[in-house]
Amino acid sequence: MLKSKNIELVPFESKYIKKFVEFRNSEDSRNFLMPGIPYPVTEGSVSEWLSKRANPSESGEFAIIYNETKEYIGNISYGNVDWKNRHCEIAIMIGEEKYRNRGLGSEAIMTLLDFIFNELNLHRVELKVYDFNERAIRCYEKCGFKKEGLLREAVYKHGKYINECIMSIIKEEFCKHDFQGNN
């Protein structure tokens, strides 16, 4: 378990699957989540997906728990770990709408980054985000991520091609970053 002021990151378990499916299948989530599963998910497909991500040396899937209520509010994960070059990718979803825009996503990201950089001893973390997802980009920048580039028209969604923005943070930048945005 990884703990911070307002949230805990706990290993994702089967007891969270039903709520995860609800989060993942919401229209808002489908509009903003990166591709991979362009159609609604089922409890069975999520169980199968989780079983493939069961090796912690390759990936980690965490439920985000709000400390005050002990409520499961979303997910955060790392994956595609490259141990030779010491980098990985992360993804986050605050599925419970009432917990969005409260800084909990940023707090979850900073908690996971601390684990990735200081426990796994990785050097670089990256993510992809749709270039129109301004709320997420602001969150990532608040956490110290820098825009690296744009994958032009990389995803076909809603009848048109969409750009993906690649963002990353290096361990040294994380260590120097003031989470309040005053780095």
Side-chain angles (χ1 to χ4, degrees), residues 69-183:
T69 62
K70 301 300 181 200
E71 187 176 357
Y72 162 58
I73 64 168
N75 286 62
I76 191 165
S77 63
Y78 67 90
N80 297 324
V81 177
D82 179 336
W83 290 106
K84 178 185 179 294
N85 297 301
R86 313 219 52 79
H87 64 84
C88 70
E89 295 179 31
I90 67 166
I92 185 170
M93 172 185 65
I94 301 295
E96 194 65 60
E97 192 170 345
K98 68 184 177 184
Y99 292 105
R100 295 179 189 156
N101 300 312
R102 295 174 55 179
L104 300 174
S106 300
E107 188 174 337
I109 291 169
M110 295 303 285
T111 303
L112 183 61
L113 288 176
D114 182 62
F115 173 74
I116 288 170
F117 289 131
N118 295 314
E119 297 299 323
L120 298 181
N121 194 29
L122 296 183
H123 175 70
R124 179 179 183 279
V125 175
E126 72 177 47
L127 57 83
K128 292 179 184 172
V129 58
Y130 294 133
D131 70 343
F132 65 81
N133 192 347
E134 294 174 12
R135 180 177 65 192
I137 291 170
R138 281 191 308 273
C139 171
Y140 301 140
E141 289 174 337
K142 177 181 175 184
C143 293
F145 282 81
K146 308 273 190 272
K147 291 181 181 177
E148 287 189 336
L150 191 70
L151 300 173
R152 298 179 313 130
E153 298 186 2
V155 176
Y156 188 75
K157 192 173 187 102
H158 305 298
K160 62 182 179 180
Y161 287 97
I162 297 172
N163 299 330
E164 288 180 327
C165 180
I166 299 173
M167 300 180 78
S168 72
I169 186 169
I170 306 298
K171 183 176 185 176
E172 180 181 306
E173 295 167 341
F174 173 77
C175 292
K176 291 179 181 177
H177 185 70
D178 176 355
F179 180 55
Q180 303 307 315
N182 301 320
N183 54 335

Side-chain angles (χ1 to χ4, degrees), residues 49-62:
W49 168 75
L50 276 173
S51 70
K52 292 177 183 175
R53 291 181 59 98
N55 184 347
S57 70
E58 294 174 9
S59 63
E61 188 72 39
F62 298 92

